[in-house]
Every structure is written in structure tokens, then in C-alpha cells.
Amino acid sequence: MIEIRNLSRLYDGLAVVDDVSLTVETGQLAVLVGTSGSGKTTLLRMINRLVQPSSGQVLIDGVDTATLPAHLLRRRIGYAIQGHGLFPHRSVAQNIATVPRLLGWPRRQIDARVDELLALFQLDPAAFRGRMPHQLSGGQAQRVGVARALAAKPDLLLMDEPFGALDPLIRAKAQDDLRQIQRQLGTTLILVTHDMTEAVDLGDRIAVMDGGKLLQYDAPARILTDPATPFVRDLIGTADRALRLLSLARVGDIAAPGQAEGPAIAPGASLRDALAECLWSGRDALPVEGGGIVTLNALRAKARPR
Amino acid sequence: MLLSPPGVLFALIGTAGLALPLVQFKPNRIVTGEGIGLHALPLGLPLAAALCGLLLATCLGRWPAALRLAAAVSGFVTVILSLGLAASHLTPEGNTIARVSPASGFWLLLLAFGLMLADAVGRLRPSLAMRWLMLAAALGLVAAILASGLLDGVSVMREYASRRDLFGREAQAHLMLAFGSLGAALLVGIPAGIAIFQAPRWRGPVLGVLNILQTIPSLALFGIMIPVFGWVAASLPGAARLGVAGIGVFPALVALFLYSLLPVVSNTLAGLSGVPAATRDAALGLGMTRPQVLAQVLVPLALPVLLAAVRIVLVQNIGLAVIAGLIGGGGFGTFVFQGLNQTAMDLVLLGALPTIALALVAGIALDLLIQAAHRGTP
Ligand SMILES: Nc1ncnc2c1ncn2[C@@H]1O[C@H](COP(=O)(O)OP(=O)(O)O)[C@@H](O)[C@H]1O
Ligand SMILES: [Mg+2]
């Protein structure tokens, strides 16, 4: 569990991060979102003390991070940044092995871990181990950057706009993969983005920042239905918030008993997909695989604030 | 294209060289002698015709680079052998006073084929290993020609023959001056560059002082150092025993060291500053200590720029070390200044030619090292 308590950072007397408090539960994915210059990066970098807080505390599992030597703290926290920051003079394997080597893992264990991570990120170990960073595509380099951050099995992973440099198609896939890997490993993750869609798609919790202040810290559905300030509402955009809301829930969650015509939909599909299917096929209800139905009325009810 | 423009240039230089005297014949080493062309020597006409043919033929485009290289090497060797031939033919039997020196025609021909050689190597785009092999082969060829005795009649080699031991010692002294000052500059300059990289406030002052040092002419620098170190040696107990002196090796080393500092410090700074901020951030963020970031990330990535500084300094110091001859610091400069005093150009050449060769070889070798350091990074 990460507790951020009254954290502030001043530059030249001006608060760039202003009295921010928030808690991220173990295994959760929290997204810091806000316009450029709102202080997201500074807040993130105070967690691994690349930036020294002016006041306030960061506690990891109850331990004040200020009491630990900074470099030892950072070896326990994964860190991945936009543009990946891979070491250009080191091979993919050497890059991924950075923290395990700093921690003095035995050679064999490091090699095994490198291969395990490459496989996890769908990069063939035999082909990629020896490559140099400039021989990777943007998407591959980004994955190696995340693999490097995860190498020493950190309990906490910090990511600063990790998908910013990727084109939309690759970005969607990378986001999916990240979410899956995060769930699978149970890593607590704090991710910075300026993209609200990414925040809604990925976050268990979303922290909206503006001018160094934390405006709202809530589950995505609450941010969509109850924006705390006009700024938050503007950031979400009002045009497609109903659809975004639908994309947060699964068909299985609202399946009701009944019968319906036509091909069935998977229980794991989003309500947004279900709505699209209803409209496309002109049906008022869809059968759900494994039993039950989902109706247009139920979908309509889910697309509105309560 | 029908004609190769560089080829035409080399041919112009070379044919001018053929028209000018190849050697100068002097009854003794001081007087000015008479110029003698290649064509005036026995076997000279066919040799001149062969060289002329090579020069004209390589004017044509569409020569494969390897063939150009072969032409350049054979031209180069032919010119040098012609010099040896001229020397042995022109010097009367048993005469040790008469001198045969290379003249303007020889130098122009050498230049023409040297340029052709560089051009051909450039077109050939050899691999790194191949370049090392070529450098070694060139050195081997020169050594073989010198060892064969074919050039022993040439004035410079005559001067060498009468100073064999001294030449060896001065060569050692020259290398010591060039490499010693480089080593000292690296020892001081790299830490200084790292220090001002980490403390940006000091960049202006440090680089400013080094810049001023760099602009002081070497003679003026000696003018300052001779009295200062002379005084230090005389008045500070123990200083003289440590080698401090107003003239000799010490001030020469100090001068070369001072001139080397600016390139080393500024290239260290440039190399470190050139490492992307994201890379440095990642290194710190992953938990490297500052020394680890420096040793594992910053310095390796700055290495090509650092090696460029080593190249600049080494080539510069090999040349500048000649000045040491002026203040009794030894090195090839000794021959240059002795020769100037005696107006014996052959003696000047005995100092100048090895200096040029050394600088050339050092420059090429370091270029190859820099290329090797660049591999692996884009
Ligand atoms: N080292 C620094 N010195 C001075 N100002 C800084 C420094 N780092 C960040 N800032 C300022 O703090 C503000 C927030 O920056 P940042 O945390 O990078 O925002 P974000 O990541 O949300 O775009 C910006 O106005 C930036 O100019
Ligand atoms: Mg940022």
C-alpha cells in the first residue's frame, strides 16, 4: 500500500505539487491524469525520490521512504518512462538485467529472469536477448523498458506516459498487455498520462490533477458520473461519457434471465460492445454465452448517472 | 561519368611533379645544388612514362576502387624507388660529402599518389578490420623499403646513418613528450570535465581559463615558463630534484599538457552532456548510485567524444613536441632546430619527416578506434 501524505514540491517558491494526499491499495492500478504542467511527473518522481519533496511523506507499506537510502529504495520500485530511456550501449538482455545486477543476483537467475520477461512481453528470447536498443521498433523498445522496470519483481511500478510515443494501434495493444500483466503479477502500479481515455480504460482509481492540486481521486465510473469540479468535467469531455461509462462494465455483470434471438455475446464483452451489437443487428436483446440475456433497456439504464 | 574529377586533379599535380626536378644534387650538405629531373636518369624515361601513364589512366572514371588502390600503391612505391635510384646513381663512388636530396618534383609526385591512395581507400569503404590491416601493411611496406637499403644514398638517410643512436633516443623522447603530456592531460582533464559537468556554475570560469591558455603562442608560453620554473627550481628545495627546471623536458611537458587540457575537458563535458536526459534519468531511477551512473552509463556513452579528444590532443602534441627541441627538451625538434641553425635542410627533414609520419599514423589509428567505439550505438 502506498500512502502519499500532504506531499508538496516548491520550485522558486511556487508549488508545483500542492499538498497532495492519496492512497493506492496493494495490487491496484492508479492513474494520475491532468494537462501538461499540472505536476504529474513531479508527484511520481517524489515517490522514488528522483525529486526531493519540499514537505509531506510517502509511505510504502507503512514505512516512510525518507528513512531509506534513495538508491536502495529505487531498486525496489520499478520505473519506466516515455521514450523508454533504454541504455543505447547495452543489449536488450543487459538492459533488462540492470536492477538484478545491481542487487547482486546470481548470473543464472538473472539469465532465467530475462528470458522469462521477454517471453511474458511476447519477444522471442533467442531473437531479442542480444539486440541493441536501436534495432528495436518503438513498441518493442517500450516493452523492453517495462520489462526492465519489472525485472527485480518490484512491488510497486511507476510509469510516466509509457505509451506516449506509440501509434494508436500499438498503444491499444500495449495497454491491454500491461493491464493483463499487472493483474497477473499483482503489482501495484501508478501510471501518469495526459490522456483521459487511457485513464478510464486502465485505472482502478483516477487522480485528476491541475495546477499541482489533486482535484478528485475516485473510481473511473465516479469520475464520469460525478466530476468534482467543472475542470474535471471538461477534462472528461461530455460528448461520449455515456459510451465511456458503458465500456467500464462487462456483459456478465448485468445478464438477466430470459431468451433472445440471434448469435450470443461473450460475458466478458463490455456493455459498449453489447450496445453496438444491438444497434448493428437491430435487436432489443442479446443472448449471453452460458445463459441469460442482456437487454437494450438494461444498457440504457447503465449509461446514465444515478 | 567519363572523367573522374579527383583523378584529374591528382594527374595535374603528378605531371607537374614529373616536369619539376626529382632531386637536388649538392657537392656538400650546405650549398644549394642543381635540380635533376627523373627523365635525366638512366631508366628514368621508362619510369617517368610509367608514372605518367598511371596518372593519365586514373583520370578516367569507371575504375574499380581496388584497381585505383593498386595503381596508387604502385605509383607511390615507384616514386620512392626512383628517389633511391637517383641517389645511388648520382653520388660518385666513395664520396661521403656529396648529397642527393628529394626536390619539389618528388614531393609533388608523392602528394599526387598519396591523395590517390586516400581517395581509393575512401571509395573502397573497407571494413574496420580491413582498415587496420591496411594500416599495418602500409607501415610494413615503409619499414621494408627503409630496411632494404634502397634509400641509403638519399641525403636524409645519410644524416640518419651518422646519428643512428641519437635518432633512437630522440624518437623515444618525442614519444614520451607526446604521450606523457596526453596521459597527464587525461588524468587531470577527465575528472575536471566530470566535475564541471556536475557543477554547471564552474563551466564558464574553467573553460574560460583553458581557452585563454590555448591562445597563448607556444614561444610566449616558454618565455613565461623559463624564468618561472627556473626560479622555482632554484628557490624551492627539492623542486630541482623532482625534475623542475626552466629549460629541458619539464617546461616542454608542462606546455604540451596545458595545451591538451582544453580539448580533453571540453570534450569530456560535451560527451557527458550529449547523453540523453531520459537515459540518465532511467539510470538513477533504476537505483544506480551516482558513481555507478557515471561509470556504467555516462562515461561509456561519452567514450567516442572522449576518444575524439584523445585524437586531437595526440596529433597536436606530436606536432607541437617539435618545439621542445628549442629549449633542450629533446625529441625530433632537436634535429629540426640543429638543421635550421646549420641551414642543413636534410637534417631538418630528419626531424620533420618522422614527426609527420607519426602524427599521420596516430591520427588514422585513433580514427579507427573511434569508429570501433561507435559500433553498437546508432
Ligand atoms: N526542476 C524544475 N525546476 C523548475 N521547475 C520545474 C522543474 N521540474 C518541473 N518544473 C515545473 O513544474 C511544473 C510541473 O511539471 P511536471 O511535473 O513535469 O508536469 P507534468 O508531468 O504534469 O506535465 C511545470 O510548470 C514545470 O515547468
Ligand atoms: Mg510529465
Side-chain angles (χ1 to χ4, degrees), chain A residues 243-288:
Chain A
L243 296 177
R244 286 188 177 181
L245 204 51
L246 284 181
S247 71
L248 289 174
R250 310 276 132 205
V251 167
D253 302 340
I254 64 160
Q259 294 288 326
E261 294 292 305
I265 188 162
S270 75
L271 298 190
R272 183 178 179 148
D273 295 340
L275 176 67
E277 185 54 33
C278 283
L279 297 178
W280 189 254
S281 61
R283 289 180 283 174
D284 289 332
L286 309 174
V288 179

Side-chain angles (χ1 to χ4, degrees), chain B residues 189-190 192-198 200 203 207 263-275 302 305-306:
Chain B
I190 293 177
I194 291 172
I196 61 170
F197 171 69
Q198 286 174 340
R203 285 178 199 178
L207 292 179
V264 172
V265 173
S266 63
N267 275 36
T268 304
L269 178 64
L272 295 175
S273 309
V275 176
V305 186
L306 252 173

